[in-house]
Amino acid sequence: MAHDKSPVAGNGLFDRRFFLKAGVAGSATLMSAAASPAERPAWMRAPGAPMSPSGEPSEHEAHVQRRPIGSHPGTTGTGAARTPLELLDGVITPSRLHFERHHSGIPAIDPDEHRLVIHGLVDRPLSFSLEALSRYQHVSRIQFLECTGNSGASIAPEPVQASCGAIHGLVSASEWGGVPLSVLLQEAGIKASGKWIIAAGADAAAMSRSVPVEKALDDAIVALYQNGERLRPSNGYPMRLFLPGWEGNMSVKWLRTLKVVDQPAMTKDETSKYSDLQADGVARLFTFPIGVKSVITSPSPGLTMGEAGIYQVSGIAWSGAGRIRRVEVSADGGKSWADAALDEHIMSKCLTRFRSAWRWDGSPAVILSRATDEAGNVQPTRDAVLEGRANGAFYHYNGIQAWRVGADGEISNVYA
Amino acid sequence: MFTRNAVFMVIAASCLLATGSIVADDNPRLGEAVSSAEIARMDFTVLPNGDGLPGGSGTAAAGALVYQQNCLACHGTAGKDGPNDSLVGGIGSLVTEQPQKTVGSYWPYATTLFDYVRRAMPYQAPGSLSDDDVYAVTAYILYLNDIVGEDDRLDAETLPEVRMPNRENFVWAYAPD
């Protein structure tokens, strides 16, 4: 029974099986509650609302929205809108809340007119309509997408006081369905000299990135579906490239052309933007796979704690190298750690949900999470990530996040 | 046994002939042939070696006007101090406490500038400049960064030859097989 168990790590963290064992006592309480005299709340005294063609969240959840939304000066569609991670559970991001990052707004594409053209170093340049692509054998996988600039606020000299989503919400996960890119490339026939593919979108920026042929033939897809429905316009309708586990910018939305070439194009976004300048003046190009990472989504800033007692510490972990093997949680600022329980669907290159039981004694505490992936990579500390970086170099940040729980129950961002 | 194998091999060989290459049987092969003219209309890619650069040319002298009319409002007078990215300056700043990344101080290839401006700028009307104007405004931004002279003519031959100051300071994190 729950009260027999004692914490396994400092400051009240329980074993990862805590909630499982507590289950029996919980259901007994539920049964006795049902035996109380019948009473009807207002919504049980008359039939409810009719069916509708498209569902909306409860009006009480209206605050669960992408935020903040920021665009470059003088523009409305060149910037980012972030997933409110602290208000969500599980691993699938509702499509309406998937993060957005665009470079020239969201194009209004007529799907009948749109074509995907594969050309360059191929035997047969080919053009595909949406209708044609819909006839191919599809695959679908539940996987994360993360913007290269996610968590970039964490390089600030003083911790930025903002919600978990505002800092880390440029990551989301969906079921992505579509045609394996390898099938289309095989049909076009890549010439032996073809080593890179320049993917470009049908947005006003004709967004372009260079993708190694190796990745394109491995697990890349031309995605037509997100969470079971056709892509949303903000996620590339009617078709996008999806490169599992790699930096989000490469998964070019509104995919229009794929040009097979013998060298990278060194596009604006792969040189000027998503490259990593080091303190010695040397910059690293093409950091493609997302590093192993985790963050506690609850408790987190803005989610005030109530009275002292047992709380669920919950969050997400992910890695571009494959599956999450382990997540550890600390409630004493990193002095001691306990393994968190992982929700059972642990998928490759997907968000994995972790949970720990924590008895908060009401006094100030610093909580952290640390992920390890199946390749053995361990999430680094903030200091380790920043080591050797140039000042202001914020891309590809995957450091451990610490939250401070105050005696007043307020949660703040701290560097531990 | 021998006969059955031989028959199988003949069938396998004729399948290969029929499809012209090795493609899985369940590939519906619905890609349609596309003409080089159609491809040319959709393809903006310029490679560092100059592949993809169109005809036409321009100089910084001509590009100053293109810049004033199409870019200055967002990128500032002489490519600085506008509401959007600075395109000029910062050369030598990358190893300081305040690195300033611009076309001049950071970008490894001049071809990237032509590629990007032709596909995406001016922001509110991409595709509105002629190729001559894109060459000219490219030359103007490079001129403001002291990388080319005011009357240097940039075209498909000369643009790939422009050496960017920061060209040697990039390494690849990705190692192809």
Side-chain angles (χ1 to χ4, degrees), chain A residues 23 34 43 46 54-55 63 85 87 115 126 142 179 182 197 211 219 229 237-238 242 273 286 301 346 356 372 385 408:
Chain A
W43 47 87
S54 187
H63 60 288
L85 298 174
L87 302 177
R115 292 289 179 278
L126 294 174
I142 304 177
V179 185
S182 58
I197 299 180
V211 178
D219 56 359
E229 61 180 358
Y237 183 84
F242 187 77
K273 296 302 175 199
F286 308 142
I346 302 171
S356 286
T372 303
V385 173
D408 56 1

Side-chain angles (χ1 to χ4, degrees), chain A residues 138-169:
Chain A
H138 283 37
V139 294
S140 75
R141 304 189 199 98
I142 304 177
Q143 287 169 325
F144 75 80
L145 187 70
E146 183 179 22
C147 172
T148 321
N150 196 25
S151 316
S154 305
I155 71 158
E158 294 303 320
V160 170
Q161 296 310 327
S163 68
C164 179
I167 301 172
H168 303 291

Side-chain angles (χ1 to χ4, degrees), chain A residues 51-81:
Chain A
M51 280 71 71
S52 61
S54 187
E56 295 298 331
S58 160
E59 60 182 301
H60 304 288
E61 300 298 320
H63 60 288
V64 183
Q65 295 189 346
R66 287 191 278 240
R67 63 181 181 189
I69 299 176
S71 199
H72 282 238
T75 72
T76 53
T78 296

Side-chain angles (χ1 to χ4, degrees), chain A residues 196-198 208-211 261-268 270-271 286, chain B residues 45-49 109 111-112 115 119:
Chain A
W196 291 77
I197 299 180
I198 315 307
S208 65
R209 284 295 305 258
S210 307
V211 178
V261 290
D262 61 356
Q263 59 190 290
M266 301 292 178
T267 70
K268 179 269 249 180
E270 64 206 19
T271 54
F286 308 142
Chain B
T45 307
V46 174
L47 299 182
N49 66 8
Y109 297 97
T111 46
T112 305
D115 174 290
R119 68 173 66 238

